[in-house]
Amino acid sequence: MAAFDLIIKGGTVVTATDTTTCDVGVRDGKVAALGRDIGDGDREIDATGKLLMPGGIDSHCHIEQVSGMGVMCADDFYTGSVSAAFGGTTTIIPFACQHRGDQLRAVVKDYHDRAGPKAVIDYAFHLIVTDPTEQALNQDLPALIRDGYTSFKVYMTYDGTKLDDFQMLDVLSVARREGALTMIHAENWDMIRWVTKRLIDGGNTAPKFHAISHPQVAEGEATNRAIALGRLVDAPVLIVHVSAEEAMEEIRLAQSKGLKVFGETCPQYLFLTMDDLDKPGAEGAMFCCSPPPRDKAGQEVIWRGIQNGTFQVFSSDHAPYRFDETGKLKAGPNPTFKQVANGVPGIELRLPLLFSEGVGKGRIDLQRFVDLTATAAAKLYGLHPRKGTIAVGADADIAIWDPDKKVTVNWDMLHDNVGYTPYDGMELTGWPTTVLSRGRVVVADETLQVDAGSGEFLPCDKPKSAEPLGRIVPEVDPKRNFGAEILF
Ligand code: DUC
Ligand code: ZN
Ligand code: ZN
């Protein structure tokens, strides 16, 4: 009998800390041994000349979700997870999104019903909380956190999703008490709608004005406020999809003070600019996302944040809408920018883009690449060490990369259901050619090898990232507030 179910021979194993050339033995879906001459497997993969990296974890993607404007994503859990897998991602953490009036428990059940029969790779869920009722705060959230939904996103913007500061504090204090991490969409809604009204009143309705309507100062202000709200109740926060220098600087400053403030950025802020929104007719709608892409200089700023560690995670924020009446053009062939569903696809290209432009161009090393795309997310969201690394005992979620493979991006080669890619024509070097999830070969020879529904739900642990510092601001510290009891 062979020692392993599978052995991957001769590849170079890359983790967030090391690079080693060795064989990988897989048994019962887990990495069982790393080394040379470790034995044989029932199945063998020759990975000579290839890189073995932990399968990516996409910790920010929208799948089979109805947007605030009532538009259904183009990808369901089948196309979304297949597309992720072809791009080297083996775990996704999409959102179970509460719309106002929804009960959180019912929302979670609904997403399980959608994902269970379709996902081909493993998945967890973040919650989106838009309606922090007494029931949600005191019963549903604590119970769901205990059941493995240990992170939630809140919005400071949009009429249908926005929490005010008071509600944010309510949610943050539940997160602190129960051990969950709060992800924050930080943009100042009043600034956005004030500028939007003036743009629309002036007849400036084309998609390109979307970029003008979300000024960088709106992101910077809200990021500053989000951090302050977290500080008041000593709750760690993670600022999602950061696009603007001011926001990045707020995060950096907070980190330099020792606060638990985490940052996420996405491909659209490295590879797109606001000029992409300036296309003929409604075509710019394909690039409308929030926050919007900024300018060339802004891209370099975001690269700096990736290099200096301000950003811990690089997610896709895959928010897929087709360029037709089911998606971007739901309001008609010439929508105002206000009517365009916000979001761009990116679940499949996230890793190849960062590999080619980051590692390939010498901006980051392989360790940073792995950390940004897999390891840090596993740690931040309570999936480590099962996910996010190649180590004995971890799930055998491995992407085997050909670091020299050259690819010119076009939508036909992708596996999502969006119908276009914002990255069309880009020339990339490096591509994941074989992708394993729990030791199962999911993708090989440019073909999907597994069935719909073979992905598993992953309950998340309460992450260390969410543990409070124990450093509440003096005014609410029982030792400094004349004895008043302020319950968090
Ligand atoms: N926020 C997201 O996280 N994704 C898409 C659009 C948005 O506003
Ligand atoms: Zn958002
Ligand atoms: Zn998003």
Side-chain angles (χ1 to χ4, degrees), residues 113-247:
D113 291 346
R114 296 175 202 191
K118 296 183 210 141
V120 301
I121 55 173
D122 295 349
Y123 55 95
F125 289 114
H126 310 291
L127 309 174
I128 288 178
V129 181
T130 61
D131 202 0
T133 58
E134 286 295 317
Q135 154 102 21
L137 291 169
N138 297 326
Q139 291 173 38
D140 297 345
L141 277 176
L144 285 164
I145 292 166
R146 284 193 285 275
D147 287 352
Y149 309 88
T150 59
S151 46
F152 28 82
K153 180 177 175 189
V154 291
Y155 287 76
M156 299 170 81
T157 193
Y158 303 134
D159 280 330
T161 53
K162 176 185 180 301
L163 303 191
D164 62 28
D165 292 354
F166 191 97
Q167 293 172 308
M168 292 271 294
L169 288 167
D170 274 345
V171 171
L172 285 163
S173 68
V174 171
R176 174 192 194 270
R177 196 171 59 234
E178 305 290 340
L181 183 63
T182 308
M183 308 159 73
I184 303 181
H185 180 133
E187 287 186 287
N188 179 312
W189 181 227
D190 282 323
M191 287 188 192
I192 291 170
R193 59 194 195 92
W194 192 89
V195 178
T196 298
K197 180 168 185 325
R198 271 150 187 80
L199 285 166
I200 301 272
D201 288 352
N204 300 302
T205 61
K208 64 184 173 193
F209 293 108
H210 172 76
I212 310 304
S213 71
H214 286 246
Q216 302 206 33
V217 64
E219 198 183 330
E221 185 284 324
T223 300
N224 175 293
R225 189 156 34 98
I227 292 169
L229 294 168
R231 263 187 72 201
L232 181 71
V233 296
D234 190 20
V237 295
L238 185 146
I239 311 297
V240 293
H241 48 48
V242 174
S243 75
E245 181 166 20
E246 305 186 18

Side-chain angles (χ1 to χ4, degrees), residues 50 86 399-402 405 431-435 443-447:
K50 305 280 198 310
F86 273 90
I400 304 179
W401 282 70
D402 178 348
K405 182 168 173 174
W431 203 265
T433 49
T434 302
V435 179
V443 173
D445 304 322
E446 300 184 9
T447 312

Side-chain angles (χ1 to χ4, degrees), residues 60 62 95 153 241 317:
H60 185 154
H62 304 267
F95 297 92
K153 180 177 175 189
H241 48 48
D317 195 5

Side-chain angles (χ1 to χ4, degrees), residues 186 216-224 227 239-256 261-265 269-270 291 294 297-312:
Q216 302 206 33
V217 64
E219 198 183 330
E221 185 284 324
T223 300
N224 175 293
I227 292 169
I239 311 297
V240 293
H241 48 48
V242 174
S243 75
E245 181 166 20
E246 305 186 18
M248 194 180 99
E249 282 175 349
E250 294 290 350
I251 295 168
R252 184 92 178 142
L253 180 64
Q255 291 168 345
S256 76
V261 172
F262 306 103
E264 172 203 82
T265 194
Y269 309 118
L270 293 179
R294 307 296 181 178
Q299 292 180 343
E300 291 311 312
V301 168
I302 299 299
W303 274 116
R304 181 158 35 91
I306 283 183
Q307 288 164 328
N308 69 17
T310 306
F311 299 118
Q312 286 70 45

